[in-house]
Amino acid sequence: MASTKRNKIKSDLQKIMSQKNLTSALYEAQIEQYMAYYDQQQSLNDVIGNTDNQKIKMECMKEMRQIDKSMLGILKWMGIDPTKQPQEKEESYDL
């Protein structure tokens, strides 16, 4: 499932760049860097979920904050504001 989400994110970024007519190798490289950061986040999440060592968890969370900043920087550089992107409708369930 994770690779499906990853593929969708990459596809969405490529679609947005295509709509903006920003299809040069420079933009493609930024998308690849964004996805590399995404992969790092997933690895850090795995470490956090699989360790009881609080020091390691704190270091991973610190690293994740830095990665988040870098990812947001890439989006901003590409002219994408995630807060203004249309959100997919969430399904609601009555319990």
Side-chain angles (χ1 to χ4, degrees):
M1 177 163 152
S3 72
T4 302
K5 184 176 181 180
R6 184 189 193 285
N7 292 339
K8 180 157 177 31
I9 290 169
K10 184 176 180 179
S11 175
D12 286 348
L13 288 172
Q14 289 170 327
K15 181 179 172 186
I16 292 168
M17 292 293 93
S18 178
Q19 289 170 346
K20 292 180 173 220
N21 202 26
L22 303 172
T23 56
S24 72
L26 178 62
Y27 289 99
E28 190 61 38
Q30 290 299 308
I31 291 172
E32 291 302 323
Q33 182 60 53
Y34 185 91
M35 298 316 300
Y37 285 138
Y38 177 86
D39 293 339
Q40 285 179 309
Q41 275 190 329
Q42 300 312 303
S43 295
L44 289 169
N45 276 329
D46 289 343
V47 171
I48 290 169
N50 293 321
T51 187
D52 293 328
N53 186 316
Q54 286 302 107
K55 186 174 181 178
I56 291 173
K57 285 184 180 186
M58 294 300 290
E59 287 299 316
C60 287
M61 287 189 275
K62 180 180 174 183
E63 182 68 21
M64 285 185 66
R65 284 191 298 275
Q66 291 298 318
I67 291 170
D68 285 342
K69 287 180 187 178
S70 297
M71 291 173 80
L72 286 173
I74 289 172
L75 293 177
K76 184 177 178 181
W77 183 84
M78 292 191 304
I80 300 172
D81 184 352
T83 62
K84 295 186 179 180
Q85 297 299 316
Q87 301 291 320
E88 290 184 13
K89 254 181 132 175
E90 289 187 23
E91 295 183 29
S92 60
Y93 298 98
D94 292 327
L95 298 178

